[in-house]
């Protein structure tokens, strides 16, 4: 068992040690008891790693699993898969982030990621989403697709190599029996610091370029893009509303709007929203906010219904969350984007997607998906 969370921008890591219990929810009726068990473990002084599948949101927001207004529909069914996993540990250790692997480290190589959708099929779905937006059912949908790959070698070596070249604030490496999670997420879902909750939605992406002048132009173009700014603002408003369900009156505020962030393979645009919610438990926060609006769309419930109908497979951990909960009640949960999930045989899924609005260009959205897979080339 290896469980670590890394903030490479701040130069620190948190490793959890001494696994003593596992808490799971494999059906909707098990979510409440699982959250109660997590709270009890926290109060006993334990540190807890949380792995929350996107589809947990259908149990937290049951209306999101209802049929959309029209179109073919397969009702969701519980397949016995854990949508909530909590790993309970005796202690946490503060460390430096892992360094890049040495030349004599156990080798690790991955196959070229293979999309399950053709570009033509993807474009058809984007055009269908644009039609739903035109008809007034939706404002935005985050549409995603899985990429399949195969790992040969050591997952920790692969993580070290990619993480060293793509430093982010919300990375994680969790080797938990048959599942290994390598998360290179730059996006904060929600963090608690005492009474304050903070969320930092990321919406708006552009590729980096090796030529410095062209690279700067792409960054400025993203920051000035009306489409990307409107997408970002839409999700900020959604999260302000979600936080308002928990917050003390008048405490919800936008701390930063349209912040341009530079990563090795992409430019991104983020905003920061915070609120004071001293009495809200982890369960309260998840019921109000999960899954993050930046990876659903707006209106949130309507977008989730269409995601269930239109995407080719359940998202699983992708677009859910990975993070930790401390004994004092503080926690930090990422949005599990740029996250590779491997099984015991090294078969992996790395999913990609983007926010679709009416003026989205389907071919451009297809290209954006593949920009987001560039980190795997490390």
């Amino acid at each position: 068992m290896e469980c670590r969370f890394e903030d490479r921008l701040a130069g620190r890591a948190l490793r959890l040690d001494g696994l003593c219990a596992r808490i799971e929810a494999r059906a909707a009726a098990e979510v409440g008891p699982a959250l109660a068990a997590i709270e009890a473990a926290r109060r006993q002084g334990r540190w807890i790693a949380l792995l929350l599948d996107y589809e947990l949101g259908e149990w937290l927001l049951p209306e999101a699993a209802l049929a959309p207004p029209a179109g073919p529909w397969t009702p969701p069914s519980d397949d016995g898969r854990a949508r909530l996993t909590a790993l309970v540990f005796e202690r946490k250790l503060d460390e430096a982030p892992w360094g890049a692997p040495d030349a004599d480290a156990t080798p690790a190589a991955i196959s070229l990621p293979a999309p399950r959708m053709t570009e033509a099929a993807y474009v058809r779905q984007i055009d269908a989403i644009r039609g739903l937006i035109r008809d007034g059912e939706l404002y935005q949908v985050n549409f995603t697709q899985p990429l399949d790959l195969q790992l040969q070698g050591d997952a920790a070596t692969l993580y070290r190599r990619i993480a060293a070249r793509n430093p982010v604030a919300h990375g994680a490496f969790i080797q938990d029996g048959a599942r290994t999670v390598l998360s290179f997420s730059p996006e904060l879902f929600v963090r608690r610091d005492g009474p304050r909750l903070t969320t930092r939605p990321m919406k708006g992406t552009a590729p980096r370029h090796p030529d410095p002048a062209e690279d700067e132009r792409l960054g400025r173009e993203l920051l000035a893009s009306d489409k990307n700014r409107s997408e970002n603002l839409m999700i900020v408003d959604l999260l302000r509303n979600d936080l308002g369900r928990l917050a003390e009156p008048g405490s919800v505020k936008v701390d930063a709007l349209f912040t341009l962030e530079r990563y090795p393979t992409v430019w991104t645009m983020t905003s920061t929203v915070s609120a004071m919610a001293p009495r809200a438990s982890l369960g309260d926060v998840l019921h109000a906010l999960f899954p993050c609006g930046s990876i659903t769309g707006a209106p949130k419930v309507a977008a989730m219904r269409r995601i269930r109908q239109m995407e080719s497979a359940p998202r699983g951990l992708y677009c859910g969350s990975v993070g930790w909960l401390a004994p004092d009640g503080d926690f930090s949960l990422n949005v599990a984007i740029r996250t590779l999930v491997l099984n015991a045989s090294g078969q992996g899924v790395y999913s990609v997607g983007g926010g679709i609005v009416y003026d989205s260009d389907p071919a451009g959205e297809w290209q954006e998906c593949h920009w987001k897979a560039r980190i795997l080339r490390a």
Side-chain angles (χ1 to χ4, degrees):
M1 161 61 68
E2 181 71 46
C3 183
R4 62 189 295 113
F5 302 93
E6 297 194 331
D7 180 348
R8 287 178 173 260
L9 303 187
R12 58 176 180 257
L14 182 157
R15 180 167 68 87
L16 302 187
D17 185 54
L19 180 68
C20 57
R22 174 190 297 271
I23 301 165
E24 294 181 334
R26 294 179 176 269
E30 297 176 0
V31 174
L35 290 172
I38 290 167
E39 177 66 9
R42 177 191 74 76
R43 289 180 179 275
Q44 292 167 5
R46 310 292 194 234
W47 284 79
I48 299 158
L50 296 164
L51 296 99
L52 310 176
D53 281 18
Y54 167 83
E55 285 78 22
L56 174 63
E58 296 176 345
W59 292 344
L60 297 171
L61 291 169
E63 61 270 32
L66 300 177
W73 175 249
T74 302
S77 60
D78 292 354
D79 57 6
R81 173 172 53 89
R83 299 188 186 185
L84 179 157
T85 301
L87 305 174
V88 182
F89 292 86
E90 294 284 355
R91 66 194 71 87
K92 68 98 175 181
L93 302 170
D94 294 314
E95 299 183 348
W98 273 342
D102 298 329
D104 59 352
T106 305
I110 54 173
S111 62
L112 192 66
R116 295 183 194 173
M117 297 183 73
T118 65
E119 183 174 0
Y122 178 86
V123 167
R124 283 195 298 272
Q125 292 289 55
I126 300 305
D127 284 337
I129 291 169
R130 293 179 66 246
L132 296 171
I133 295 170
R134 181 195 60 228
D135 295 342
E137 180 183 328
L138 303 160
Y139 303 116
Q140 181 198 80
V141 176
N142 188 269
F143 184 71
T144 77
Q145 58 170 319
L147 311 179
D148 294 310
L149 55 84
Q150 178 70 47
L151 169 69
Q152 300 290 339
D154 181 55
T157 299
L158 180 67
Y159 174 84
R160 287 174 181 246
R161 192 166 71 217
I162 295 176
R165 298 183 184 180
N166 297 272
V168 297
H170 308 289
F173 180 83
I174 302 175
Q175 207 156 28
D176 172 35
R179 178 169 68 168
T180 301
V181 177
L182 297 76
S183 187
F184 311 100
S185 175
E187 184 171 2
L188 174 69
F189 167 37
V190 61
R191 181 179 70 239
R192 174 186 285 288
D193 300 289
R196 181 176 297 278
L197 297 174
T198 302
T199 184
R200 296 188 70 241
M202 180 174 289
K203 189 57 65 177
T205 308
R208 299 294 307 278
H209 196 281
D211 175 71
E214 176 63 10
D215 188 50
E216 291 296 324
R217 186 193 69 78
L218 290 169
R220 291 194 304 270
E221 187 176 79
L222 172 63
L223 191 58
S225 165
D226 288 340
K227 169 187 175 292
N228 285 292
R229 290 169 78 93
S230 65
E231 278 191 66
N232 193 291
L233 186 60
M234 198 178 306
I235 301 307
V236 166
D237 286 342
L238 188 159
L239 284 166
R240 286 174 63 200
N241 181 70
D242 284 354
L243 281 170
R245 297 163 62 188
L246 300 168
E248 293 182 335
S251 71
V252 178
K253 62 178 183 177
V254 178
D255 302 281
L257 193 62
F258 308 145
T259 301
L260 189 65
E261 296 188 358
R262 184 197 312 254
Y263 293 93
T265 60
V266 293
W267 291 97
T268 66
M269 188 190 296
T270 67
S271 294
T272 304
V273 187
S274 66
M276 300 298 288
R279 289 174 294 278
S281 67
L282 172 67
D284 294 333
V285 172
L286 293 179
H287 276 94
L289 272 69
F290 189 88
C292 184
S294 66
I295 49 72
T296 60
K300 187 173 187 176
V301 168
M304 290 176 70
R305 291 173 181 172
R306 287 298 183 180
I307 286 168
R308 158 66 73 169
Q309 178 194 39
M310 301 180 78
E311 292 191 352
S312 61
R315 291 181 174 184
L317 192 58
Y318 172 64
C319 287
S321 186
V322 179
W324 53 264
L325 170 65
D328 64 2
D330 284 356
F331 56 79
S332 180
L333 299 171
N334 75 8
V335 179
I337 57 174
R338 303 179 201 179
T339 296
L340 173 60
V341 181
L342 299 164
N343 67 17
S345 301
Q347 294 173 322
V349 178
Y350 182 92
S351 298
V352 289
I356 309 303
V357 293
Y358 182 73
D359 56 353
S360 291
D361 170 52
E365 296 293 340
W366 174 263
Q367 290 301 320
E368 180 176 326
C369 285
H370 292 278
W371 302 337
K372 292 174 178 176
R374 286 180 178 175
I375 68 167
L376 297 178
R377 299 177 187 173

